[in-house]
Amino acid sequence: MAAGVPRIFVSHLAGVSVFDPNGDQVGRVRDLVAMLRVGTRPPRLLGLVVEVVGRRRIFLPMTRVTGIESGQVITTGVVNVRRFEQRPTERLVLGELLDRRVRLTGTDEQVTVLDVSVQQLPARRDWEIDKVFVRKGKAGALRRKGETLTVEWSGVTGFSLEEEGQGAESLVATFEELRPADLANVMHHLSPKRRAEVAAALDDDRLADVLEELPEDDQVEILGKLQEERAADVLEAMDPDDAADLLSELPEEDKERLLTLMRPDDAADVRRLLSYEERTAGGLMTTEPIVLRPDATIADALARVRKEDLSPALAAQVYVCRPPDETPTGKYLGAVHFQRLLRDPPFTLVGAIVDSDLPPLPPQATLPVLTSYLAAYNLLAAPVVDESGSLLGVVTVDDVLDHLLPSDWRETDFHQDSGVPDDRPVEDDRPVEDDRPAEDDRPAEDDRPAEAADDR
């Protein structure tokens, strides 16, 4: 490799911030787009898939990348904000090339792709994939059990073949720091085959969190490709209201079969939620609020609120009830807001500070009633109580918003601002080029031999 020409491994680019020349952030790198070529010629790197405000994905051509350094990408500042759509001749580097099983051309030994590197061609603006970082050993084996090595692109073969049962270990590791909603966005843009492989590689809790953030069609598709026992485990790990929403999209036979495989207690909560109309308090509520007895102390309440896996809406207040402590509870006495817990001594009993003036909601309360209730009392969650006075669950503001927004809101851009400075050229409604060349328009390769490269 010529001196001064940097080599960059693509796993280091995942999630990297993209800036314009003024230092304003445009978005973050979510993938790279490459075009495979005939024979052993290295693939040409066409551009980056950049996620901008509103989770919109745009295509940033490499011709508009002026630098990749110190964990950041610098652009010319002029971008096309049209949504990225993958073409048939293109491959997503992170989404499709990592974890593939390919063969070394010299020995025909099968290896797994852990990473690939890209470099800019000397004296040109073109980029290409030049090296492949692979691991020897059987598919699915732990990384430390197989020898790793870096080889030239021409030293492996098999990238152009359709692969069944492709792993997802390296891809999952690349995005392990993403929030569930952001990982869900990544998975939504993968092919159905790759989406199923990534789902199979996630643990139950992580997959449950991601499923809750995916569109319904993706949820049903992924759940249908899991083994039934694992599908039941994932449903148990989901919030009961989200699990009920997902099961309600399945045929009755499939729904009943999965409920039978779930733990009885978890299945009972979900069955109870399925018995209510969808757009009512009973259909929207979660059955896992923080429930305390009146003789519990503020210290007890704060300990429950501190739980890491608790959503902000559920942590905003605790609910005081007679035993039993799980929904449906004994008599509902009232709620204590988080701010009140911070104002009184830790040894104070919650029964002494409970707010019993706020009327609870019946399970048949409609969505407009729920919306008005939360807005009128400035609440993040509302208690749902049956005719006998038992707490059934609580409706959180995020569940209400899910049903107020359009059904495809997770796939729709709600922010037109891409984060690029306002003085950049405005795109009109006419078709625009995104600088990705057609196959016949590719520039010819130069004839200079590639030089030896360092290991990863």
Side-chain angles (χ1 to χ4, degrees):
M1 184 172 64
V5 180
R7 171 175 295 117
I8 302 166
F9 279 88
V10 297
S11 63
H12 299 160
L13 291 177
V16 166
S17 297
V18 179
F19 296 93
D20 68 8
N22 296 324
D24 294 322
Q25 184 171 345
V26 176
R28 291 187 179 276
V29 176
R30 289 304 182 214
D31 216 317
L32 299 87
V33 183
M35 179 184 291
L36 300 184
R37 295 190 276 199
V38 177
T40 59
R41 299 169 66 193
R44 183 180 175 198
L45 187 63
L46 303 180
L48 308 175
V49 180
V50 178
E51 184 177 294
V52 297
V53 175
R55 299 185 189 169
R56 184 187 188 92
R57 289 181 163 217
I58 65 170
F59 177 74
L60 177 65
M62 294 308 295
T63 55
R64 296 183 184 176
V65 174
T66 59
I68 301 177
E69 54 189 21
S70 302
Q72 62 184 12
V73 175
I74 308 299
T75 76
T76 60
V78 179
V79 299
N80 183 344
V81 296
R82 185 175 62 185
R83 179 185 288 276
F84 167 71
E85 293 184 5
Q86 185 179 358
R87 295 174 178 175
T89 58
E90 297 170 343
R91 296 293 182 271
L92 295 177
V93 178
L94 294 174
E96 298 177 347
L97 300 191
L98 298 193
D99 300 295
R100 287 188 66 92
R101 297 288 290 171
V102 295
R103 293 186 179 276
L104 299 177
T105 54
T107 63
D108 202 38
E109 182 179 0
Q110 198 171 43
V111 294
T112 302
V113 178
L114 302 181
D115 211 342
V116 298
S117 69
V118 298
Q119 70 166 345
Q120 189 172 18
L121 297 179
R124 296 171 60 177
R125 300 180 70 186
D126 288 341
W127 291 70
E128 67 179 17
I129 296 176
D130 66 330
K131 301 284 185 180
V132 185
F133 183 57
V134 300
R135 181 187 67 225
K136 295 182 178 180
K138 295 181 179 179
L142 293 177
R143 229 177 252 199
R144 64 176 179 272
K145 290 187 177 180
E147 176 190 355
T148 58
L149 65 156
T150 302
V151 298
E152 298 284 348
W153 176 268
S154 59
V156 295
T157 182
F159 278 106
S160 61
L161 301 176
E162 184 70 19
E163 181 174 356
E164 294 296 331
Q166 181 179 352
E169 179 187 69
S170 298
L171 179 59
V172 169
T174 299
F175 292 118
E176 65 181 348
E177 299 299 326
L178 290 183
R179 294 173 181 245
D182 294 325
L183 180 54
N185 192 36
V186 170
M187 290 180 64
H188 174 68
H189 288 88
L190 296 175
S191 66
K193 168 185 171 293
R194 199 71 181 112
R195 191 156 47 235
E197 290 162 349
V198 172
L202 296 173
D203 62 56
D204 291 350
D205 290 335
R206 180 71 160 160
L207 180 55
D209 291 339
V210 171
L211 278 178
E212 292 173 1
E213 303 295 338
L214 280 167
E216 290 177 353
D217 289 346
D218 289 346
Q219 290 181 338
V220 173
E221 171 198 297
I222 290 172
L223 197 71
K225 292 182 179 180
L226 299 177
Q227 292 184 349
E228 287 188 342
E229 291 77 8
R230 194 192 176 205
D233 291 340
V234 172
L235 287 167
E236 291 169 356
M238 295 176 68
D239 289 336
D241 53 326
D242 291 308
D245 289 342
L246 174 50
L247 285 171
S248 67
E249 299 296 320
L250 302 181
E252 192 64 32
E253 181 180 340
D254 295 341
K255 176 173 66 178
E256 189 58 37
R257 188 163 57 248
L258 288 172
L259 284 169
T260 302
L261 291 172
M262 292 173 65
R263 289 191 296 261
D265 289 347
D266 292 318
D269 285 341
V270 174
R271 287 182 189 277
R272 185 151 48 90
L273 292 171
L274 288 169
S275 68
Y276 298 107
E277 292 292 332
E278 181 182 0
R279 297 170 70 86
T280 64
L284 297 179
M285 68 182 179
T286 178
T287 58
E288 298 178 344
I290 301 177
V291 179
L292 294 171
R293 300 182 184 188
D295 58 353
T297 64
I298 286 180
D300 297 327
L302 291 175
R304 296 281 298 277
V305 167
R306 288 192 192 101
K307 285 189 175 181
E308 186 177 351
D309 58 350
L310 205 62
S311 70
L314 285 179
Q317 54 198 35
V318 300
Y319 303 89
V320 183
C321 307
R322 301 288 184 193
D325 300 341
E326 297 180 354
T327 57
T329 67
K331 181 175 175 56
Y332 171 70
L333 302 178
V336 182
H337 300 281
F338 176 67
Q339 285 185 321
R340 182 63 190 272
L341 294 174
L342 297 177
R343 289 198 296 262
D344 287 89
F347 54 79
T348 304
L349 300 181
V350 294
I353 59 173
V354 65
D355 180 2
S356 57
D357 295 332
L358 194 64
L361 291 167
Q364 64 271 19
T366 61
L367 189 58
V369 172
L370 287 171
T371 307
S372 301
Y373 183 95
L374 293 172
Y377 297 112
N378 298 316
L379 296 174
L380 294 178
V384 181
V385 174
D386 65 12
E387 294 178 353
S388 67
S390 298
L391 180 68
L392 300 176
V394 298
V395 179
T396 58
V397 66
D398 56 309
D399 289 325
V400 173
L401 286 174
D402 275 348
H403 287 75
L404 289 176
L405 293 170
S407 59
D408 61 346
W409 72 269
R410 296 183 189 277
E411 307 169 66
T412 306
D413 299 316
F414 285 95
H415 301 275
Q416 297 303 318
D417 178 14
S418 69
V420 184
D422 293 336
D423 57 354
R424 61 185 167 81
V426 178
E427 298 289 338
D428 57 24
D429 293 333
R430 293 170 295 177
V432 291
E433 296 297 329
D434 56 10
D435 292 354
R436 284 181 284 178
E439 186 74 19
D440 296 337
D441 296 330
R442 295 182 312 235
E445 291 292 303
D446 57 22
D447 297 327
R448 288 173 288 179
E451 300 190 27
D454 301 330
D455 280 349
R456 188 171 187 242

